[in-house]
Amino acid sequence: MENVTTQSKENLQVANFDPAITYANASNLQLSESEAKKIAAPFDELDYEITPAGFIYLPQALSLKRLNDVIGVGRWGLLLINVGQQEIKQGLIKIFYDGALVIRNCFVSRAAGEAAYSLNNANQSYATALEAAKTDCRQRCCKDLGIATDAWNPSYVRAWQ
C-alpha cells in the first residue's frame, strides 16, 4: 500500500515555486467599494453548518459562489505551491495542499488545507482527498478577504449555537 501513496505523490509534479512571481502585486488588489462590501457581506445564519466536533463552517460551495459572483469566473485562481502528506497511523494519511489565492493577477492570501485519506476506504481516492485539501485551503484563503469570518468570531459562534 505504501507504493500507492508514494507513486501518487511522485505523479504530482509541482512547478518550481518562485516567490517573486507568486507574491507579485501583493497588496495591490483593487476592489470597488461595491465589490468590497459584497465580498465581505455576512451570510445568512442558515447557510452555516456544524461539524461533528461542534465547529461551525460555511459550505465551500457558498464561498466559491461568492468569489465567482463578486470577482468573476476566471478572474481568480488558487495556485498550488506544494503538496504534502503525513502518515497519521497505519492506513490513514493526512494530505496537505499549500496554495496561494490570486485575484486579478494580485497575490491575496496563502494557506494550507488538509484532508484525511484512508487507504482502506474503497469509496475514496487520493484525488478526492487532494481536492478536499484544496477546498480547505481555498476556504482559509477566503477568510483573509473577509468571506464567512463569522465562523471564527466567538460571539457569533455562541449566538449561532
XYZ file of all heavy atoms in Angstrom, residues 83-158:
583
model
N 2.406 20.250 -2.225
C 1.508 19.235 -1.703
C 2.341 18.314 -0.823
O 3.512 18.065 -1.103
C 0.793 18.461 -2.843
C 1.758 17.636 -3.660
C -0.311 17.604 -2.306
N 1.755 17.896 0.274
C 2.483 17.021 1.190
C 1.550 16.033 1.839
O 0.328 16.076 1.666
N 2.144 15.132 2.581
C 1.346 14.156 3.290
C 2.088 13.690 4.537
O 3.305 13.794 4.616
C 1.000 12.975 2.395
C 2.194 12.196 1.891
C 1.785 11.160 0.858
O 0.964 11.426 -0.003
N 2.362 9.982 0.949
N 1.311 13.203 5.484
C 1.875 12.714 6.738
C 1.049 11.506 7.159
O -0.184 11.568 7.189
C 1.784 13.803 7.811
C 2.221 13.360 9.180
C 1.974 14.449 10.219
O 1.210 15.375 10.005
N 2.619 14.322 11.354
N 1.732 10.411 7.454
C 1.013 9.229 7.916
C 0.613 9.446 9.368
O 1.453 9.710 10.226
C 1.866 7.967 7.781
C 1.080 6.714 8.099
C 1.810 5.434 7.748
O 3.025 5.484 7.471
O 1.168 4.389 7.756
N -0.680 9.380 9.631
C -1.216 9.570 10.980
C -1.142 8.262 11.746
O -0.732 8.220 12.893
C -2.676 10.080 10.920
C -2.770 11.363 10.094
C -3.254 10.263 12.310
C -1.945 12.510 10.617
N -1.584 7.204 11.099
C -1.470 5.849 11.627
C -1.542 4.906 10.439
O -1.777 5.348 9.308
C -2.560 5.556 12.656
C -3.977 5.632 12.142
C -4.974 5.356 13.244
C -6.392 5.337 12.664
N -7.377 5.060 13.677
N -1.333 3.641 10.676
C -1.337 2.658 9.593
C -2.599 2.801 8.736
O -3.708 2.691 9.244
C -1.266 1.239 10.178
C -1.192 0.145 9.135
C 0.133 0.126 8.394
O 1.158 0.487 8.934
N 0.105 -0.281 7.137
N -2.417 3.117 7.461
C -3.531 3.205 6.527
C -4.261 4.533 6.512
O -5.208 4.709 5.756
N -3.851 5.486 7.354
C -4.501 6.797 7.390
C -3.451 7.883 7.165
O -2.481 7.988 7.917
C -5.222 7.031 8.715
C -5.991 8.342 8.833
C -7.126 8.398 7.801
C -6.553 8.512 10.235
N -3.676 8.676 6.134
C -2.714 9.710 5.742
C -3.407 11.058 5.732
O -4.550 11.178 5.315
C -2.150 9.400 4.340
C -1.408 8.064 4.362
C -1.255 10.522 3.838
C -1.070 7.528 3.004
N -2.715 12.073 6.202
C -3.195 13.453 6.125
C -2.541 14.073 4.898
O -1.327 14.060 4.753
C -2.812 14.219 7.387
C -3.341 15.616 7.472
C -4.766 15.731 7.939
C -4.949 15.213 9.322
N -5.988 15.839 10.077
N -3.381 14.602 3.994
C -2.921 15.253 2.768
C -2.931 16.763 3.011
O -3.894 17.298 3.562
C -3.859 14.937 1.581
C -4.055 13.433 1.397
C -3.380 15.608 0.296
C -2.841 12.689 0.971
N -1.878 17.449 2.578
C -1.776 18.898 2.734
C -1.692 19.562 1.360
O -0.996 19.074 0.473
C -0.540 19.275 3.551
C -0.546 18.690 4.930
C 0.154 17.524 5.197
C -1.272 19.291 5.940
C 0.137 16.969 6.462
C -1.296 18.739 7.206
C -0.586 17.578 7.469
N -2.416 20.662 1.209
C -2.420 21.446 -0.030
C -2.036 22.866 0.352
O -2.804 23.580 0.983
C -3.815 21.412 -0.654
C -3.913 22.028 -2.034
C -4.032 21.218 -3.159
C -3.913 23.399 -2.212
C -4.154 21.763 -4.431
C -4.024 23.957 -3.482
C -4.143 23.136 -4.582
O -4.247 23.683 -5.828
N -0.839 23.262 -0.011
C -0.329 24.611 0.242
C -0.614 25.429 -1.007
O -0.121 25.099 -2.090
C 1.173 24.515 0.523
C 1.849 25.855 0.724
O 1.151 26.879 0.902
O 3.095 25.881 0.713
N -1.457 26.462 -0.878
C -1.841 27.220 -2.051
C -1.907 28.713 -1.813
O -1.967 29.176 -0.672
N -1.896 29.448 -2.890
C -1.974 30.911 -2.841
C -3.166 31.371 -3.671
O -3.331 30.950 -4.809
C -0.691 31.534 -3.390
N -3.984 32.218 -3.075
C -5.122 32.807 -3.769
C -4.656 34.061 -4.502
O -4.075 34.966 -3.893
C -6.235 33.158 -2.785
C -7.498 33.788 -3.378
C -8.197 32.815 -4.325
C -8.437 34.227 -2.263
N -4.900 34.084 -5.807
C -4.527 35.216 -6.652
C -5.801 35.734 -7.303
O -6.579 34.960 -7.862
C -3.498 34.790 -7.722
C -3.191 35.931 -8.671
C -2.230 34.287 -7.058
N -6.024 37.028 -7.201
C -7.196 37.663 -7.804
C -6.713 38.780 -8.722
O -5.948 39.653 -8.298
C -8.140 38.235 -6.724
C -8.696 37.100 -5.862
C -9.266 39.042 -7.358
C -9.556 37.556 -4.704
N -7.163 38.711 -9.960
C -6.787 39.723 -10.955
C -5.275 39.953 -10.991
O -4.792 41.085 -10.967
C -7.538 41.025 -10.720
C -9.044 40.860 -10.820
C -9.785 42.123 -10.506
N -11.213 41.873 -10.521
C -12.093 42.534 -9.796
N -11.694 43.526 -9.014
N -13.366 42.242 -9.849
N -4.543 38.861 -10.984
C -3.074 38.847 -11.023
C -2.427 39.451 -9.784
O -1.261 39.830 -9.829
C -2.551 39.544 -12.279
C -2.912 38.788 -13.525
O -2.846 37.556 -13.551
N -3.318 39.493 -14.558
N -3.160 39.552 -8.680
C -2.603 40.057 -7.426
C -2.647 38.959 -6.370
O -3.701 38.354 -6.144
C -3.402 41.252 -6.910
S -3.334 42.698 -7.977
N -1.514 38.711 -5.714
C -1.499 37.781 -4.598
C -2.389 38.333 -3.485
O -2.315 39.503 -3.139
C -0.066 37.611 -4.066
C -0.015 36.878 -2.754
C -0.056 35.499 -2.724
C 0.043 37.575 -1.560
C -0.025 34.819 -1.507
C 0.073 36.907 -0.347
C 0.037 35.526 -0.319
N -3.240 37.469 -2.923
C -4.148 37.888 -1.856
C -3.856 37.160 -0.558
O -3.803 37.769 0.505
C -5.624 37.656 -2.276
C -6.572 37.943 -1.127
C -5.968 38.506 -3.478
N -3.662 35.845 -0.629
C -3.519 35.076 0.600
C -2.864 33.738 0.298
O -2.935 33.228 -0.820
C -4.902 34.848 1.214
O -4.805 34.135 2.421
N -2.243 33.168 1.318
C -1.660 31.833 1.218
C -2.067 31.049 2.456
O -2.083 31.580 3.565
C -0.140 31.918 1.138
C 0.532 30.566 1.005
C 2.027 30.710 0.847
N 2.666 29.412 0.808
C 3.967 29.235 0.689
N 4.767 30.277 0.581
N 4.475 28.015 0.665
N -2.422 29.781 2.250
C -2.833 28.931 3.361
C -2.542 27.475 3.016
O -2.266 27.135 1.864
C -4.324 29.112 3.650
N -2.635 26.639 4.018
C -2.509 25.193 3.820
C -3.828 24.552 4.210
O -4.363 24.820 5.284
C -1.371 24.633 4.664
N -4.349 23.731 3.325
C -5.553 22.970 3.606
C -5.173 21.527 3.879
O -4.091 21.078 3.500
N -6.069 20.819 4.528
C -5.765 19.435 4.860
C -7.000 18.557 4.712
O -8.133 19.044 4.759
C -5.238 19.324 6.295
C -6.234 19.774 7.344
C -5.670 19.723 8.754
O -4.493 19.372 8.938
O -6.425 20.010 9.684
N -6.747 17.266 4.513
C -7.825 16.281 4.438
C -7.243 14.911 4.752
O -6.058 14.649 4.507
C -8.460 16.274 3.055
N -8.081 14.056 5.288
C -7.655 12.687 5.613
C -7.861 11.787 4.401
O -8.829 11.932 3.653
C -8.443 12.163 6.794
N -6.941 10.873 4.222
C -7.026 9.880 3.145
C -6.820 8.507 3.760
O -5.789 8.229 4.343
C -5.973 10.168 2.080
C -5.845 9.085 1.024
C -6.957 8.633 0.321
C -4.614 8.526 0.726
C -6.838 7.649 -0.646
C -4.485 7.551 -0.244
C -5.598 7.109 -0.923
O -5.482 6.142 -1.878
N -7.822 7.673 3.641
C -7.750 6.320 4.185
C -7.499 5.333 3.055
O -8.283 5.242 2.104
C -9.053 5.964 4.905
O -9.019 4.610 5.312
N -6.423 4.591 3.170
C -6.096 3.585 2.162
C -7.122 2.451 2.160
O -7.255 1.735 1.174
C -4.701 3.016 2.418
C -3.546 4.004 2.287
C -2.242 3.370 2.752
C -3.416 4.482 0.865
N -7.845 2.289 3.259
C -8.803 1.195 3.395
C -10.215 1.586 2.963
O -11.120 0.772 3.062
C -8.824 0.701 4.844
C -7.454 0.224 5.283
O -6.734 -0.413 4.519
N -7.083 0.545 6.509
N -10.412 2.810 2.510
C -11.735 3.275 2.094
C -11.831 3.187 0.576
O -11.300 4.026 -0.145
C -11.966 4.711 2.568
C -13.337 5.229 2.221
O -14.100 4.608 1.487
N -13.656 6.406 2.744
N -12.553 2.183 0.096
C -12.685 1.975 -1.346
C -13.493 3.080 -2.018
O -13.441 3.237 -3.233
C -13.333 0.623 -1.620
N -14.233 3.865 -1.245
C -15.050 4.947 -1.803
C -14.297 6.266 -1.920
O -14.877 7.265 -2.317
C -16.306 5.155 -0.947
C -17.214 3.957 -0.993
O -17.376 3.338 -2.034
N -17.794 3.607 0.134
N -13.024 6.267 -1.544
C -12.237 7.498 -1.573
C -10.950 7.254 -2.342
O -10.297 6.231 -2.170
C -11.903 7.955 -0.148
C -11.120 9.240 -0.096
C -10.595 9.555 1.305
O -10.171 8.659 2.017
N -10.634 10.812 1.671
N -10.585 8.198 -3.175
C -9.316 8.113 -3.889
C -8.380 9.199 -3.359
O -8.811 10.125 -2.671
C -9.536 8.300 -5.389
O -9.943 9.637 -5.649
N -7.117 9.094 -3.736
C -6.149 10.126 -3.384
C -6.591 11.462 -3.984
O -6.492 12.511 -3.349
C -4.762 9.733 -3.898
C -3.674 10.690 -3.491
C -3.009 10.549 -2.281
C -3.311 11.748 -4.319
C -2.007 11.433 -1.899
C -2.312 12.641 -3.952
C -1.666 12.476 -2.745
O -0.688 13.358 -2.369
N -7.122 11.405 -5.210
C -7.576 12.631 -5.884
C -8.706 13.300 -5.111
O -8.751 14.527 -5.000
C -8.028 12.315 -7.308
N -9.613 12.509 -4.564
C -10.722 13.060 -3.782
C -10.197 13.738 -2.521
O -10.639 14.829 -2.165
C -11.723 11.942 -3.409
O -12.218 11.363 -4.617
C -12.876 12.481 -2.591
N -9.243 13.104 -1.849
C -8.657 13.695 -0.645
C -7.885 14.964 -0.980
O -7.957 15.959 -0.252
C -7.744 12.686 0.053
N -7.174 14.955 -2.098
C -6.429 16.150 -2.515
C -7.384 17.294 -2.831
O -7.135 18.444 -2.469
C -5.542 15.833 -3.720
C -4.640 16.959 -4.196
C -3.649 17.375 -3.109
C -3.888 16.535 -5.450
N -8.495 16.988 -3.476
C -9.498 18.018 -3.777
C -10.091 18.589 -2.491
O -10.338 19.798 -2.388
C -10.605 17.428 -4.662
C -11.658 18.421 -5.084
C -11.167 19.497 -6.039
O -10.141 19.294 -6.712
O -11.822 20.559 -6.117
N -10.321 17.733 -1.504
C -10.836 18.209 -0.213
C -9.815 19.121 0.468
O -10.180 20.148 1.059
C -11.177 17.026 0.688
N -8.536 18.781 0.386
C -7.486 19.629 0.962
C -7.405 20.964 0.218
O -7.212 22.016 0.827
C -6.138 18.910 0.923
N -7.591 20.936 -1.094
C -7.597 22.163 -1.893
C -8.764 23.056 -1.483
O -8.611 24.274 -1.332
C -7.703 21.807 -3.379
C -7.808 23.002 -4.301
C -8.002 22.548 -5.741
C -8.221 23.730 -6.660
N -8.500 23.293 -8.035
N -9.930 22.462 -1.297
C -11.114 23.209 -0.878
C -10.887 23.845 0.485
O -11.231 25.009 0.707
C -12.338 22.271 -0.840
O -12.585 21.811 -2.165
C -13.566 22.971 -0.311
N -10.285 23.086 1.409
C -9.976 23.613 2.741
C -9.013 24.791 2.627
O -9.173 25.814 3.301
C -9.395 22.498 3.609
C -9.182 22.918 5.044
O -10.069 23.590 5.627
O -8.124 22.577 5.611
N -8.030 24.670 1.748
C -7.071 25.752 1.521
C -7.791 27.006 1.015
O -7.547 28.110 1.505
C -6.015 25.295 0.512
S -4.818 26.557 0.043
N -8.680 26.830 0.036
C -9.411 27.981 -0.509
C -10.259 28.649 0.553
O -10.308 29.876 0.658
C -10.276 27.555 -1.700
C -10.904 28.751 -2.406
C -11.760 28.373 -3.588
N -12.896 27.583 -3.172
C -13.147 26.332 -3.579
N -12.344 25.731 -4.420
N -14.203 25.680 -3.133
N -10.918 27.850 1.398
C -11.741 28.416 2.478
C -10.881 29.277 3.406
O -11.292 30.355 3.820
C -12.413 27.309 3.287
C -13.489 26.537 2.552
C -14.724 27.355 2.279
O -14.824 28.022 1.262
N -15.665 27.303 3.184
N -9.711 28.785 3.731
C -8.819 29.520 4.631
C -8.305 30.808 3.978
O -8.175 31.829 4.633
C -7.663 28.629 5.073
C -8.134 27.484 5.956
C -7.035 26.502 6.265
N -7.579 25.352 6.977
C -6.916 24.679 7.883
N -5.674 25.011 8.201
N -7.479 23.649 8.481
N -8.018 30.747 2.685
C -7.601 31.960 1.965
C -8.742 32.973 1.899
O -8.516 34.179 2.033
C -7.129 31.609 0.554
S -5.518 30.806 0.477
N -9.958 32.490 1.714
C -11.124 33.388 1.625
C -11.346 34.153 2.925
O -11.852 35.279 2.913
C -12.376 32.598 1.262
S -12.473 32.175 -0.483
N -10.960 33.544 4.021
C -11.102 34.218 5.314
C -10.341 35.549 5.312
O -10.814 36.539 5.858
C -10.592 33.288 6.427
C -10.697 33.863 7.818
C -10.317 32.856 8.887
C -8.963 32.275 8.696
N -8.486 31.474 9.833
N -9.184 35.584 4.655
C -8.394 36.817 4.593
C -9.082 37.911 3.782
O -8.757 39.085 3.911
C -7.004 36.548 4.015
C -6.112 35.782 4.982
O -6.499 35.635 6.166
O -5.039 35.324 4.551
N -10.033 37.537 2.943
C -10.823 38.509 2.186
C -12.051 38.966 2.960
O -12.777 39.841 2.514
C -11.308 37.884 0.870
C -10.350 37.871 -0.289
C -10.936 37.069 -1.442
C -10.017 39.276 -0.736
N -12.312 38.327 4.085
C -13.485 38.673 4.873
C -14.689 37.799 4.556
O -15.799 38.080 5.021
N -14.499 36.741 3.791
C -15.601 35.842 3.450
C -15.849 34.876 4.603
O -14.954 34.141 5.011
C -15.305 35.062 2.157
C -15.184 36.027 0.974
C -16.385 34.024 1.887
C -14.788 35.364 -0.335
N -17.062 34.915 5.131
C -17.512 33.998 6.195
C -16.671 34.080 7.467
O -16.472 33.092 8.156
C -17.567 32.560 5.681
N -16.210 35.267 7.799
C -15.392 35.411 9.000
C -16.199 35.212 10.282
O -15.617 35.003 11.343
C -14.700 36.789 9.039
O -15.696 37.805 8.908
C -13.672 36.919 7.926
N -17.524 35.245 10.175
C -18.348 34.994 11.362
C -18.047 33.634 11.986
O -18.160 33.465 13.196
C -19.844 35.063 11.010
C -20.314 36.485 10.753
O -19.689 37.422 11.278
O -21.309 36.645 10.023
N -17.661 32.671 11.166
C -17.374 31.326 11.672
C -16.192 31.314 12.641
O -16.014 30.354 13.398
C -17.118 30.369 10.518
N -15.373 32.374 12.634
C -14.228 32.469 13.544
C -14.448 33.515 14.629
O -13.553 33.779 15.417
C -12.953 32.796 12.757
C -12.486 31.633 11.942
C -11.677 30.612 12.372
C -12.783 31.352 10.587
N -11.473 29.715 11.358
C -12.142 30.147 10.253
C -13.541 31.983 9.615
C -12.226 29.571 8.993
C -13.627 31.409 8.353
C -12.983 30.226 8.059
N -15.617 34.109 14.673
C -15.934 35.127 15.670
C -16.625 34.444 16.857
O -17.762 33.993 16.730
C -16.844 36.186 15.044
C -17.230 37.270 16.017
O -17.190 37.089 17.224
N -17.642 38.403 15.488
N -15.963 34.378 18.019
C -16.526 33.639 19.160
C -17.929 34.094 19.570
O -18.778 33.255 19.878
C -15.522 33.885 20.290
C -14.255 34.212 19.598
C -14.645 34.916 18.323
N -18.200 35.392 19.553
C -19.538 35.851 19.963
C -20.605 35.403 18.946
O -21.708 35.024 19.324
C -19.573 37.362 20.172
O -19.238 38.043 18.991
N -20.263 35.419 17.656
C -21.187 34.956 16.637
C -21.439 33.450 16.809
O -22.581 32.982 16.748
C -20.668 35.223 15.220
C -21.637 34.780 14.152
C -22.644 35.615 13.704
C -21.555 33.508 13.593
C -23.556 35.201 12.732
C -22.448 33.078 12.617
C -23.443 33.941 12.216
O -24.338 33.520 11.258
N -20.369 32.701 17.037
C -20.494 31.246 17.195
C -21.376 30.908 18.389
O -22.263 30.049 18.281
C -19.100 30.588 17.332
C -19.213 29.124 17.709
C -18.298 30.754 16.036
N -21.175 31.594 19.492
C -22.011 31.337 20.694
C -23.476 31.635 20.400
O -24.355 30.848 20.745
C -21.522 32.176 21.885
C -20.289 31.608 22.558
C -20.002 32.338 23.878
N -19.712 33.755 23.709
C -18.519 34.253 23.430
N -17.486 33.454 23.293
N -18.338 35.554 23.306
